[in-house]
Amino acid sequence: MKKKYIPFLLSILFLYGFPICATESSSDHFLTGREMRESNFFLNSKTKISLANKFQYLKSNDYPVENSVVQTAWAQGVRLDFESGYIGEHFGADISYAGVAKLAASDYFYTRQYLYASGDDMAPESFSKFEQAYLKQYFASDSSQLTLKEGQITLDGFGVLDGLNKVTNTSYRGALADLQYDKVEFRLGYFSQYMNADTPHNEHFATFSGNNYDYVLTGDLTYKDKNNSLRYLAGEYKDYLFTHGLEFKRHTGSIQYTAELYHNHALTLWKQMSDYHKTFDEDAYHFNMDLTRFSEQWVNVIGYSFTQANRKNGLGRFQQSLDNMTFHSQAYGLSEEFINDNESVLTLINIYKITPDYELGFVSRFGYGHHYQGNHMNDIELALFNKWTPRNIENLTLVLGLGPNWTFKRDYFNNPILDENGDWQRGSGFCVTSSIEYEF
């Protein structure tokens, strides 16, 4: 075990041994081994082992010629989660340890957030890490409950931060509070570092130009009843960006409506960056809405998205400040992102349940409206996906998706590469992704 985690484990024994001695034992010593084993900390604990095998193949010639190669990543992950019960009904601790084994990766490699790459050659390799390690406190009354966490924490759509669904998860070092009262939930968190899904250590938050900033302060307020939910989220990346958004969902009968609006506003550190690093000047907006119809065997989705991200020296994008920003939109496809300035996106998704265990789906996206130096471009993505969740093997899920895309060739500033006549050029790509996940 890494030495840096020994103080953390000792703090668990100290912080949670002391209250139990004070409240449940007449003696003045700390918990004995037997008392610890028989406390709710262990008696109500849960342990879970998760396996994830993920593969991605991506071939694209969108960018200059040196990037027109195949990028492949294939990894096997395993994670052990320990979730304690609460001592005195209030105090606990959770720990998650994860390991990732490299099965294959192309020589010319971007990690795809699957594998760890370091050194001058950025060669992909296996790694392991403590994905989570935090203290927690829980307090409840008849109508409300409060949860507190401090340490290394995995977040799932918390304020403007997210981090799930890779081979391992992204986690954040900091503290959070989650207060629920009736149909309203308020969450607030402060985070000073993060551990990306493809790294075994914490890193400082940094701008696109490589300058560190101190923290991310974020939270959200949610109202939810039987058929409706409304969520406002906001967060400041210290002196870098302010991001906020509004998410709405309504379910009536077999129809579900959703709408999302997000806004990024540049702060001092963003404005100080060179044009090379900026993906928009001062403000960027993204809007998305979906209509979903559910039936016994079909799920049908129609969606529309629009982006505004002005950039005076090129074609702007609604760029996320982190790879793990909370962002719900059909503009994010299998291998292509339809988030250019003035780009509208039409999305059609049709999913057919062939058997209770097996689903087959088709996705099409068409992006249009973005322009550059008199050129009006468009983007297209088609994808076929399969999902198998066998009922006789509980907690097993297999997913396969593949399909082509067509977009515009661009440089590293996201500006279209024009031919000798000043016309934009078509780029193309193909993506295959698969996932096998099992829990026990």
Side-chain angles (χ1 to χ4, degrees), residues 150-195:
E150 308 86 25
Q152 191 78 28
I153 309 166
T154 295
L155 302 178
D156 180 10
F158 187 98
V160 299
L161 297 177
D162 205 351
L164 302 185
N165 297 325
K166 299 297 183 180
V167 182
T168 70
N169 300 316
T170 296
S171 57
Y172 302 83
R173 176 178 290 178
L176 64 83
D178 183 341
L179 175 63
Q180 298 182 47
Y181 178 79
D182 195 20
K183 299 176 181 179
V184 178
E185 180 177 15
F186 173 68
R187 304 187 297 179
L188 183 66
Y190 172 93
F191 306 98
S192 59
Q193 292 183 323
Y194 76 111
M195 187 188 303

Coordinates of all heavy atoms in Angstrom, one line a residue, residues 150-195:
E150 N -15.4 14.2 2.4 CA -14.1 14.9 2.4 C -13.0 13.9 1.9 O -12.9 12.8 2.5 CB -13.7 15.5 3.7 CG -14.8 16.3 4.4 CD -15.8 15.5 5.2 OE1 -15.4 14.4 5.7 OE2 -16.9 15.9 5.4
G151 N -12.3 14.2 0.9 CA -11.2 13.3 0.4 C -11.2 13.3 -1.1 O -11.4 14.3 -1.8
Q152 N -10.9 12.1 -1.6 CA -10.8 11.8 -3.1 C -12.1 11.2 -3.5 O -12.5 10.1 -3.1 CB -9.6 10.9 -3.4 CG -9.3 10.8 -4.9 CD -8.6 12.0 -5.4 OE1 -7.8 12.6 -4.7 NE2 -8.7 12.3 -6.7
I153 N -12.9 11.9 -4.3 CA -14.3 11.6 -4.5 C -14.6 11.5 -6.0 O -14.2 12.3 -6.8 CB -15.2 12.6 -3.9 CG1 -14.8 12.9 -2.4 CG2 -16.7 12.2 -4.0 CD1 -15.5 14.2 -1.9
T154 N -15.3 10.4 -6.4 CA -15.8 10.3 -7.8 C -17.2 11.0 -7.8 O -18.0 10.9 -7.0 CB -16.0 8.8 -8.2 OG1 -14.7 8.2 -8.2 CG2 -16.7 8.7 -9.5
L155 N -17.4 11.8 -8.9 CA -18.6 12.6 -9.1 C -19.4 12.1 -10.3 O -18.8 11.8 -11.3 CB -18.2 14.1 -9.2 CG -17.4 14.7 -8.1 CD1 -17.1 16.2 -8.5 CD2 -18.1 14.6 -6.8
D156 N -20.7 12.1 -10.1 CA -21.6 11.8 -11.2 C -22.6 12.9 -11.4 O -23.6 13.0 -10.8 CB -22.3 10.5 -10.8 CG -23.3 10.0 -11.9 OD1 -23.3 10.6 -13.0 OD2 -24.1 9.1 -11.6
G157 N -22.2 13.8 -12.4 CA -23.1 14.9 -12.7 C -23.3 15.8 -11.5 O -24.4 16.2 -11.1
F158 N -22.2 16.2 -10.8 CA -22.2 17.1 -9.6 C -21.9 18.5 -10.1 O -20.7 18.8 -10.4 CB -21.2 16.6 -8.6 CG -21.3 17.3 -7.2 CD1 -22.0 16.7 -6.2 CD2 -20.7 18.5 -7.1 CE1 -22.1 17.4 -5.0 CE2 -20.8 19.2 -5.9 CZ -21.5 18.6 -4.8
G159 N -22.9 19.4 -10.0 CA -22.6 20.7 -10.5 C -22.1 20.7 -12.0 O -22.8 20.1 -12.8
V160 N -21.0 21.3 -12.2 CA -20.5 21.3 -13.6 C -19.5 20.1 -13.9 O -18.9 20.0 -14.9 CB -19.8 22.6 -14.0 CG1 -20.8 23.7 -13.8 CG2 -18.6 22.9 -13.1
L161 N -19.3 19.3 -12.9 CA -18.3 18.2 -13.0 C -18.9 16.8 -13.1 O -20.0 16.6 -12.6 CB -17.3 18.2 -11.7 CG -16.5 19.5 -11.5 CD1 -15.7 19.4 -10.2 CD2 -15.6 19.7 -12.7
D162 N -18.2 16.0 -13.8 CA -18.6 14.6 -14.0 C -17.4 13.8 -14.1 O -16.3 14.3 -14.0 CB -19.5 14.5 -15.3 CG -20.4 13.3 -15.3 OD1 -20.3 12.5 -14.4 OD2 -21.2 13.2 -16.2
G163 N -17.5 12.5 -14.4 CA -16.3 11.7 -14.5 C -16.4 10.2 -14.6 O -15.5 9.5 -14.3
L164 N -17.6 9.7 -15.0 CA -17.8 8.3 -15.0 C -17.7 7.7 -16.5 O -17.5 8.4 -17.4 CB -19.2 8.0 -14.5 CG -19.5 8.5 -13.1 CD1 -20.9 8.0 -12.7 CD2 -18.5 8.0 -12.1
N165 N -17.8 6.4 -16.5 CA -17.9 5.6 -17.8 C -16.7 5.5 -18.6 O -16.8 5.3 -19.8 CB -19.1 6.2 -18.6 CG -20.4 6.1 -17.9 OD1 -20.7 5.2 -17.2 ND2 -21.2 7.1 -18.1
K166 N -15.5 5.6 -18.1 CA -14.3 5.1 -18.8 C -13.9 3.8 -18.1 O -14.7 3.2 -17.5 CB -13.2 6.2 -18.6 CG -13.6 7.6 -19.2 CD -13.8 7.5 -20.7 CE -14.1 8.8 -21.3 NZ -14.3 8.8 -22.8
V167 N -12.7 3.3 -18.4 CA -12.2 2.1 -17.8 C -12.1 2.3 -16.3 O -12.5 1.4 -15.5 CB -10.9 1.6 -18.4 CG1 -10.5 0.3 -17.8 CG2 -11.0 1.5 -19.9
T168 N -11.6 3.4 -15.9 CA -11.7 3.9 -14.5 C -12.5 5.2 -14.5 O -12.8 5.7 -15.6 CB -10.4 4.0 -13.8 OG1 -9.7 5.2 -14.3 CG2 -9.5 2.8 -13.9
N169 N -12.7 5.8 -13.4 CA -13.4 7.0 -13.3 C -12.5 8.2 -12.9 O -11.5 8.0 -12.3 CB -14.6 7.0 -12.3 CG -15.6 5.9 -12.6 OD1 -16.0 5.8 -13.8 ND2 -16.0 5.1 -11.6
T170 N -12.9 9.4 -13.3 CA -12.2 10.6 -12.8 C -12.7 10.9 -11.4 O -13.9 10.8 -11.1 CB -12.4 11.8 -13.8 OG1 -11.9 11.5 -15.0 CG2 -11.8 13.0 -13.2
S171 N -11.8 11.3 -10.5 CA -12.2 11.6 -9.2 C -11.5 13.0 -8.8 O -10.5 13.4 -9.4 CB -11.8 10.6 -8.2 OG -10.4 10.3 -8.2
Y172 N -12.0 13.6 -7.7 CA -11.6 14.9 -7.4 C -11.3 15.0 -5.9 O -11.9 14.4 -5.1 CB -12.7 15.9 -7.7 CG -13.2 15.9 -9.1 CD1 -14.1 14.9 -9.6 CD2 -12.7 16.8 -10.0 CE1 -14.5 14.9 -10.9 CE2 -13.1 16.8 -11.4 CZ -13.9 15.8 -11.8 OH -14.3 15.8 -13.1
R173 N -10.2 15.8 -5.6 CA -9.8 15.9 -4.2 C -10.5 17.2 -3.6 O -10.3 18.3 -4.1 CB -8.3 16.0 -4.0 CG -7.9 16.3 -2.6 CD -6.4 16.4 -2.5 NE -5.8 15.0 -2.7 CZ -4.5 14.8 -2.7 NH1 -3.6 15.8 -2.5 NH2 -4.0 13.6 -2.8
G174 N -11.3 17.0 -2.6 CA -12.0 18.2 -2.0 C -13.1 17.8 -1.0 O -12.9 16.7 -0.4
A175 N -14.1 18.6 -0.9 CA -15.2 18.3 0.0 C -16.5 18.7 -0.6 O -16.5 19.6 -1.5 CB -15.0 19.1 1.3
L176 N -17.6 18.0 -0.2 CA -18.9 18.4 -0.8 C -20.0 18.2 0.3 O -19.8 17.5 1.3 CB -19.2 17.5 -2.0 CG -19.4 16.0 -1.8 CD1 -20.8 15.6 -1.4 CD2 -19.0 15.3 -3.2
A177 N -21.1 18.8 0.1 CA -22.3 18.7 0.9 C -23.5 18.5 0.0 O -23.6 19.1 -1.1 CB -22.5 20.0 1.8
D178 N -24.4 17.6 0.4 CA -25.6 17.3 -0.3 C -26.8 17.3 0.6 O -26.9 16.5 1.5 CB -25.4 15.9 -0.9 CG -26.6 15.5 -1.8 OD1 -27.7 16.1 -1.7 OD2 -26.5 14.5 -2.6
L179 N -27.6 18.3 0.5 CA -28.8 18.5 1.3 C -30.1 18.2 0.6 O -30.3 18.8 -0.5 CB -28.8 19.9 1.9 CG -30.1 20.3 2.8 CD1 -30.1 19.4 4.0 CD2 -30.0 21.8 3.1
Q180 N -30.9 17.3 1.0 CA -32.2 17.0 0.4 C -33.3 17.3 1.4 O -33.3 16.9 2.5 CB -32.2 15.5 0.0 CG -31.2 15.1 -1.0 CD -31.2 13.6 -1.4 OE1 -32.3 13.1 -1.7 NE2 -30.1 12.9 -1.4
Y181 N -34.3 18.0 0.8 CA -35.5 18.4 1.6 C -36.7 18.2 0.7 O -36.9 18.9 -0.2 CB -35.4 19.8 2.1 CG -36.6 20.2 2.9 CD1 -36.8 19.8 4.3 CD2 -37.6 21.0 2.3 CE1 -37.9 20.2 5.0 CE2 -38.7 21.4 3.0 CZ -38.9 21.0 4.4 OH -40.0 21.4 5.1
D182 N -37.5 17.2 1.1 CA -38.7 17.0 0.3 C -38.4 16.7 -1.2 O -37.6 15.8 -1.5 CB -39.8 18.1 0.5 CG -41.2 17.7 0.0 OD1 -41.4 16.5 -0.1 OD2 -42.0 18.6 -0.2
K183 N -38.8 17.6 -2.1 CA -38.6 17.4 -3.5 C -37.4 18.2 -4.0 O -37.2 18.3 -5.2 CB -39.8 17.8 -4.3 CG -41.1 16.9 -4.0 CD -42.3 17.4 -4.7 CE -43.5 16.5 -4.4 NZ -44.7 17.0 -5.1
V184 N -36.7 18.9 -3.1 CA -35.6 19.8 -3.5 C -34.3 19.2 -3.0 O -34.2 18.7 -1.9 CB -35.8 21.2 -2.9 CG1 -34.7 22.1 -3.2 CG2 -37.1 21.8 -3.4
E185 N -33.2 19.3 -3.8 CA -31.9 18.9 -3.4 C -30.9 20.0 -3.8 O -30.9 20.6 -4.9 CB -31.5 17.6 -4.2 CG -30.1 17.1 -3.8 CD -29.7 15.8 -4.5 OE1 -30.4 15.5 -5.5 OE2 -28.8 15.1 -4.1
F186 N -30.0 20.3 -2.8 CA -29.0 21.4 -3.0 C -27.6 20.7 -2.7 O -27.4 20.1 -1.7 CB -29.2 22.5 -2.1 CG -28.1 23.5 -2.1 CD1 -27.9 24.3 -3.3 CD2 -27.2 23.7 -1.0 CE1 -26.8 25.2 -3.3 CE2 -26.2 24.6 -1.1 CZ -26.0 25.4 -2.2
R187 N -26.7 20.9 -3.7 CA -25.4 20.3 -3.5 C -24.3 21.4 -3.8 O -24.5 22.3 -4.7 CB -25.2 19.2 -4.5 CG -26.2 18.1 -4.4 CD -25.9 16.9 -5.3 NE -25.9 17.2 -6.7 CZ -25.6 16.3 -7.6 NH1 -25.3 15.1 -7.3 NH2 -25.6 16.7 -8.9
L188 N -23.2 21.3 -3.0 CA -22.1 22.3 -3.1 C -20.8 21.6 -2.9 O -20.7 20.8 -1.9 CB -22.3 23.5 -2.2 CG -21.3 24.6 -2.2 CD1 -21.4 25.3 -3.6 CD2 -21.5 25.6 -1.1
G189 N -19.8 21.9 -3.7 CA -18.5 21.2 -3.5 C -17.4 22.1 -3.9 O -17.5 23.0 -4.7
Y190 N -16.2 21.9 -3.2 CA -15.0 22.6 -3.4 C -13.9 21.6 -3.7 O -13.7 20.6 -2.9 CB -14.6 23.4 -2.2 CG -13.2 24.1 -2.2 CD1 -13.1 25.4 -2.7 CD2 -12.1 23.4 -1.8 CE1 -11.8 26.0 -2.7 CE2 -10.9 23.9 -1.9 CZ -10.7 25.2 -2.3 OH -9.5 25.8 -2.4
F191 N -13.2 21.7 -4.9 CA -12.2 20.7 -5.3 C -10.9 21.4 -5.7 O -11.0 22.4 -6.5 CB -12.8 19.9 -6.4 CG -14.1 19.2 -6.0 CD1 -15.3 19.8 -6.4 CD2 -14.1 18.1 -5.2 CE1 -16.5 19.3 -6.1 CE2 -15.4 17.6 -4.9 CZ -16.5 18.1 -5.3
S192 N -9.8 21.0 -5.2 CA -8.5 21.6 -5.5 C -7.7 20.9 -6.5 O -6.7 21.4 -7.0 CB -7.7 21.8 -4.2 OG -7.5 20.5 -3.5
Q193 N -7.9 19.6 -6.7 CA -7.1 18.8 -7.6 C -8.1 17.7 -8.2 O -9.2 17.4 -7.7 CB -5.9 18.1 -7.0 CG -4.8 19.1 -6.5 CD -3.6 18.3 -5.9 OE1 -3.8 17.3 -5.3 NE2 -2.5 18.9 -6.2
Y194 N -7.6 17.0 -9.3 CA -8.4 16.0 -9.8 C -7.4 14.9 -10.4 O -6.3 15.1 -10.7 CB -9.3 16.5 -11.0 CG -8.6 16.8 -12.3 CD1 -8.8 16.0 -13.4 CD2 -7.7 17.9 -12.4 CE1 -8.2 16.3 -14.6 CE2 -7.2 18.2 -13.6 CZ -7.4 17.4 -14.7 OH -6.8 17.7 -15.9
M195 N -7.9 13.6 -10.4 CA -7.2 12.5 -10.9 C -8.0 12.0 -12.1 O -9.1 11.4 -12.0 CB -7.1 11.4 -9.9 CG -6.2 10.2 -10.3 SD -6.3 8.8 -9.1 CE -5.8 9.7 -7.6

